[in-house]
Amino acid sequence: MITLHDRMARGRTETGLIEARHTFSFGRFHDPDRMGFRSLRVLNEDRVVPGAGFPAHPHAEMEILTYVLSGAVEHRDSLGNAAVIRAGDLQRMTAGTGITHAEMNPSATGPLHLLQIWIHPDRNGLAPGYEQLSVGEGPTGGLRLVAGPEAGDGVLRIHQDARLFVARLAAGEAVEHLIAPGRAAFVQLTRGVVALDGHEMREGDGAAVEGEPGLRITAETEAEFLLFDLA
């Protein structure tokens, strides 16, 4: 079964400095039918004006991924990490027993566009941690694994039986992904137009896939998307 998540049906938060779209319940947007998908709890698309951002705030017991689509994020946290995460970079922060961080758009002129992703960890009480990875902005050569439970070269570790892939395709290219029995997938389109097993998706659309042996995604234009493989 494929359940489409229309980009126009997402929750909205607009402050004048930050414009956010929420696939699942977040902040003041609450929908009891949208409390996440498997271990994927939050999927926000944020746009931040120059010089604005999220002042220091705490998190706990969550795996938090930040994927920058354009612009840059200046990150500081209570572990002493200070970094700039640029377009094509992925950050993993294990909130664990508690961490405080701030995320700002350091540019005086350019906007910031990012995805904020929360995944429930496989256990509570983890030590807080931080990692980041440059995925780059060019073609990925199909589905590229960028995060999962087994860390490796070019793969960030997340403490959950979940894997995140990034794909950037030219028009006409296609990828297939097998889904093991009992598992599911969630696709989030960040750019372009694709067909997911015949279902058209445009930038901002998502799709939950359950009870299927696999999926095929064909790019109708140059496109980029994230694919989560979830227990």
Side-chain angles (χ1 to χ4, degrees), residues 7 20 23 40 48 51 61-62 70 98 105-106 108 120 123-124 137 147 169 185-186 193-194 208 214 217-218 220-221:
R7 62 195 180 280
T23 297
L40 180 58
V48 183
E61 311 302 2
M62 195 66 70
S70 63
N105 178 357
H120 288 291
R123 61 193 183 277
N124 288 340
E137 295 186 271
L169 306 179
F186 193 92
V193 181
V194 304
I217 298 174
T218 303
E220 298 183 356
T221 67

Side-chain angles (χ1 to χ4, degrees), residues 73-202:
V73 177
E74 184 176 23
H75 167 94
R76 295 183 182 275
D77 64 44
S78 54
L79 300 179
N81 296 301
V84 175
I85 311 156
R86 305 186 186 280
D89 289 355
L90 177 69
Q91 175 203 74
R92 186 271 300 168
M93 190 172 67
T94 294
T97 54
I99 192 170
T100 298
H101 76 137
E103 299 166 295
M104 305 299 292
N105 178 357
S107 174
T109 57
L112 163 64
H113 186 197
L114 61 86
L115 291 182
Q116 181 182 162
I117 301 154
W118 294 8
I119 295 175
H120 288 291
D122 56 14
R123 61 193 183 277
N124 288 340
L126 292 165
Y130 177 91
E131 268 186 303
Q132 74 179 71
L133 167 72
S134 176
V135 181
E137 295 186 271
T140 55
L143 287 166
R144 175 180 168 181
L145 178 66
V146 294
E150 303 93 8
D153 185 24
V155 181
L156 301 182
R157 184 185 181 192
I158 50 177
H159 298 86
Q160 179 54 266
D161 186 3
R163 291 167 180 83
L164 171 59
F165 299 83
V166 174
R168 300 193 191 99
L169 306 179
E173 283 191 295
V175 295
E176 295 184 353
H177 180 72
L178 297 178
I179 303 174
R183 297 185 69 86
F186 193 92
V187 176
Q188 182 68 29
L189 188 63
T190 61
R191 179 164 50 90
V193 181
V194 304
L196 168 58
D197 289 342
H199 300 277
E200 184 181 89
M201 297 178 63
R202 294 180 175 271

